[in-house]
Amino acid sequence: MEELVIRDADVVDGSGAPSYRADVVIDGGRIVSIVKEAADAGCQRPTARRELDAEGLVLSPGFIDMHAHSDLALLRDPDHSAKAAQGVTLEVLGQDGLSYAPVDDRTLAEVRRAITGWNGYGDDIDFDWRSVGEYLDRLDSGFEGRGIAVNAAYLIPQGTVRMLAVGWKDREATPQELDRMRQLVAEGMEQGAVGMSSGLTYTPGMYAKDAELTELCRVVASYGGYYCPHHRSYGAGALDAYAEMVALTREAGCSLHLAHATMNFGVNKGRAPELIELLDKALESGADITLDTYPYTPGCTTLVAMLPSWASEGGPQEILRRLADDETAERIRHHLEVIGSDGCHGVPMEWDTIEISGVTNPSLADHVGRRLDGWTTARRLLLDDHLAPTILQHVGHEENVRQIMRHPVHTGGSDGILRGTKPHPRAYGTFPHYLGRYVRELGVLSLEECVAHLTGRPAARLRLPDRGLVREGYRADLVLFDPRTVAAGSTFQEPRRLPTGIPYVLVDGRFVMEDGRRTDVLAGRAIRRSPVRRNATRE
């Protein structure tokens, strides 16, 4: 007898097709049969060792977070309700060009310091890996050898690769260094990565010119992966930055997935149609493009990311040295406030848009939740908290958010930073916020469309053959939610409140959420792409 039958569910299958009523039978971690009510009226209904009455609930594939920063959280926090309670069953890690593999001893220490604000320094983590494959093995092992809360895929971080081969200098790579970067990317793809990310407003990845990025994308393309850039500007020059990534990947023959594809700052108010026109023309000409967004207007990053790139050259210790020097600090201030720092997307800093969301130094806790009052405070926070403060940046536009999420190549991504006293509510609320706010309340998307954006479409981008749809033979990564009540509990005032209306979540056919509560199940594992070498990389 099969393990579980989910009875009388309203199935929204992730394809965008109309919903239907069915019994869904699960065994061995897979969907083994779907008995539709209309087609099978009068037939004997399936039975199993356990039956779950899903009357009034929607059954959909598990949500796929295409932009997650849980690289260490999955290892340190077996509960991980921030994502499990949202119905997320797969996260894509290694984002924005900076993560923890591949590394050596030197670069591991550097990257831990550089992204402390995203993931913490990791004093509670045993960094017993160096390669991409070893990191994926560690995810498989997970917390105390028992696995992780949800599944995880990995992007090779281009900034970390450049850190290994070139260091933190703002210069072109030598031919030998470029060869090493190609090799590191190839090894990561062979070990199971799904593609490569960049953070082109973060050092040292931003020092790479287009020719270098194109060569690395050729390697990614040869393994059937995709390129996921946080491109060079989301403010002044945003459209040029999008066009740059489209042209670069077309030249490389590589699939493109645009990370947190927003149009922010005053210069881009009302300009989403221009981005959509750019994408549509590229798609009509044969480009393979997808994108992800979060359904909120403020952004979230680290305070140090706002600095001009020249101030970050050389790595974290050099940044601190420059900040401590009054003359250099004044140059930094001038770039931020007058010229427009490339770290702040070419837009002169408006300090009242910056809200401190987290610090690591307890003596600075009073700053959390406050807007910055100027450079003097920002500089002191960076020095006293060793570059760790995280921020919310209130620079988005609701009309742009709504128009971009309607695009047929759109997917959902939280970009959720889980650290800090007052994190962005998107970390705990992105997926139920789509369903509650933008489907039920505003009607921006239909339920079937929205679920496809959050499940089937991202699974297709990841080229996962048995995930992202409710189909016989597919993995039983599933969510049951109440379309009448599903909503994000997290707010800007209380960002860690869990959502409502998502009583059941299954990973690999096992309940990680049951009756609205987190179980002790750790069914998540690393999702490795099978490397299929399509073309030889250019020498």
Side-chain angles (χ1 to χ4, degrees):
M1 184 176 286
E2 281 75 23
E3 296 172 2
L4 172 67
V5 57
I6 300 173
R7 186 84 70 198
D8 292 323
D10 293 321
V11 177
V12 178
D13 70 3
S15 70
S19 65
Y20 59 86
R21 193 173 181 87
D23 295 346
V24 178
V25 183
I26 296 165
D27 192 51
R30 292 188 180 272
I31 300 169
V32 296
S33 68
I34 301 172
V35 181
K36 296 184 180 180
E37 183 180 64
D40 296 281
C43 296
Q44 184 175 355
R45 303 186 74 177
T47 59
R49 284 190 290 271
R50 177 179 177 183
E51 295 189 5
L52 176 62
D53 182 3
E55 181 70 37
L57 298 179
V58 168
L59 174 67
S60 83
F63 305 137
I64 297 176
D65 189 342
M66 288 295 286
H67 193 104
H69 288 285
S70 303
D71 306 49
L72 299 184
L74 279 166
L75 298 176
R76 67 159 58 96
D77 177 18
D79 182 78
H80 203 48
S81 287
K83 295 303 178 66
Q86 292 187 64
V88 171
T89 58
L90 171 60
E91 298 183 89
V92 185
L93 313 178
Q95 300 288 349
D96 295 330
L98 290 167
S99 190
Y100 305 95
V103 291
D104 57 17
D105 290 349
R106 171 185 64 85
T107 54
L108 176 60
E110 291 171 348
V111 78
R112 287 175 67 184
R113 176 59 63 196
I115 54 175
T116 295
W118 293 356
N119 298 305
Y121 187 66
D123 288 331
D124 53 344
I125 300 292
D126 179 11
F127 289 89
D128 56 355
W129 68 84
R130 293 296 180 269
S131 70
V132 170
E134 289 168 347
Y135 175 65
L136 295 176
D137 288 343
R138 181 62 190 282
L139 288 173
D140 278 336
S141 174
F143 184 78
E144 297 180 348
R146 297 190 290 120
I148 50 181
V150 302
N151 297 312
Y154 190 71
L155 293 164
I156 302 161
Q158 170 260 329
T160 304
V161 167
R162 197 172 211 271
M163 206 184 300
L164 268 169
V166 183
W168 292 80
K169 295 294 184 181
D170 183 4
R171 63 170 176 81
E172 292 188 21
T174 67
Q176 295 77 17
E177 290 166 341
L178 182 55
D179 281 343
R180 188 178 181 210
M181 287 190 280
R182 285 195 194 102
Q183 179 184 2
L184 289 166
V185 172
E187 289 172 353
M189 295 299 297
E190 289 170 358
Q191 291 164 8
V194 296
M196 181 180 75
S197 74
S198 283
L200 299 179
T201 63
Y202 300 133
T203 56
M206 69 187 304
Y207 299 141
K209 301 294 191 290
D210 283 3
E212 178 181 313
L213 296 170
T214 300
E215 290 303 307
L216 298 184
C217 283
R218 292 187 197 279
V219 179
V220 174
S222 73
Y223 288 93
Y226 68 92
Y227 181 44
C228 180
H230 163 131
H231 49 278
R232 298 191 193 274
S233 176
Y234 291 83
L239 287 171
D240 289 341
Y242 281 113
E244 176 191 11
M245 295 297 102
V246 171
L248 185 157
T249 49
R250 294 298 299 274
E251 171 67 19
C254 188
S255 301
L256 174 64
H257 181 84
L258 295 164
H260 36 58
T262 59
M263 293 286 287
N264 288 339
F265 302 92
V267 295
N268 289 317
K269 184 176 175 61
R271 299 188 70 188
E274 296 175 61
L275 170 60
I276 291 168
E277 181 182 6
L278 170 68
L279 296 177
D280 286 344
K281 286 182 178 179
L283 290 163
E284 288 167 6
S285 67
D288 180 9
I289 302 173
T290 50
L291 57 88
D292 66 67
T293 71
Y294 47 85
Y296 298 88
T297 52
C300 178
T301 186
T302 55
L303 182 58
V304 68
M306 299 292 102
L307 301 184
S309 57
W310 61 262
S312 298
E313 185 178 3
Q317 290 306 121
E318 285 299 301
I319 300 172
L320 289 167
R321 182 187 64 78
R322 292 184 181 106
L323 287 168
D325 179 76
D326 289 344
E327 184 176 343
T328 308
E330 175 56 23
R331 286 183 59 209
I332 294 172
R333 183 204 65 76
H334 182 75
H335 270 81
L336 284 167
E337 296 182 353
V338 180
I339 297 174
S341 161
D342 49 3
C344 192
H345 309 279
V347 178
M349 181 64 72
E350 296 176 345
W351 291 111
D352 61 355
T353 67
I354 304 296
E355 178 184 352
I356 300 299
S357 61
V359 294
T360 60
N361 184 339
S363 69
L364 304 174
D366 286 348
H367 290 274
V368 174
R370 294 182 181 177
R371 304 289 182 107
L372 283 177
D373 57 7
W375 168 240
T376 300
T377 302
R379 177 190 179 192
R380 180 49 50 198
L381 284 170
L382 288 166
L383 285 167
D384 291 351
D385 205 28
H386 300 284
L387 312 181
T390 52
I391 62 171
L392 303 183
Q393 196 168 16
H394 296 268
V395 292
H397 306 288
E398 178 68 17
E399 66 273 27
N400 286 349
V401 170
R402 295 188 192 186
Q403 290 185 60
I404 293 169
M405 74 168 63
R406 289 191 186 103
H407 198 279
V409 302
H410 169 267
T411 69
S414 71
D415 195 14
I417 295 174
L418 301 171
R419 304 288 289 182
T421 306
K422 195 170 180 257
H424 196 302
R426 69 192 186 192
Y428 285 74
T430 285
F431 296 87
H433 198 50
Y434 269 119
L435 296 167
R437 176 68 172 159
Y438 289 94
V439 173
R440 185 179 63 246
E441 295 178 8
L442 299 176
V444 174
L445 295 167
S446 72
L447 180 59
E448 289 85 353
E449 287 174 325
C450 187
V451 169
H453 286 222
L454 307 181
T455 62
R457 189 168 300 151
R461 163 52 72 216
L462 295 167
R463 296 185 178 173
L464 302 177
D466 59 356
R467 298 175 194 271
L469 298 172
V470 179
R471 292 281 192 276
E472 291 181 357
Y474 274 55
R475 304 301 310 189
D477 294 345
L478 300 167
V479 181
L480 283 153
F481 63 89
D482 186 336
R484 300 160 299 185
T485 63
V486 62
S490 59
T491 65
F492 287 98
Q493 292 71 37
E494 298 182 78
R496 284 195 170 87
R497 285 175 54 192
L498 297 181
T500 57
I502 306 179
Y504 300 99
V505 181
L506 295 89
V507 174
D508 201 35
R510 302 168 65 192
F511 286 96
V512 298
M513 296 292 297
E514 189 167 6
D515 295 325
R517 296 181 177 84
R518 179 72 173 92
T519 70
D520 61 359
V521 168
L522 295 173
R525 297 294 183 270
I527 304 299
R528 293 170 172 82
R529 279 284 313 284
S530 298
V532 179
R533 193 69 181 271
R534 301 193 304 191
N535 302 296
T537 57
R538 177 179 291 183
E539 298 299 330

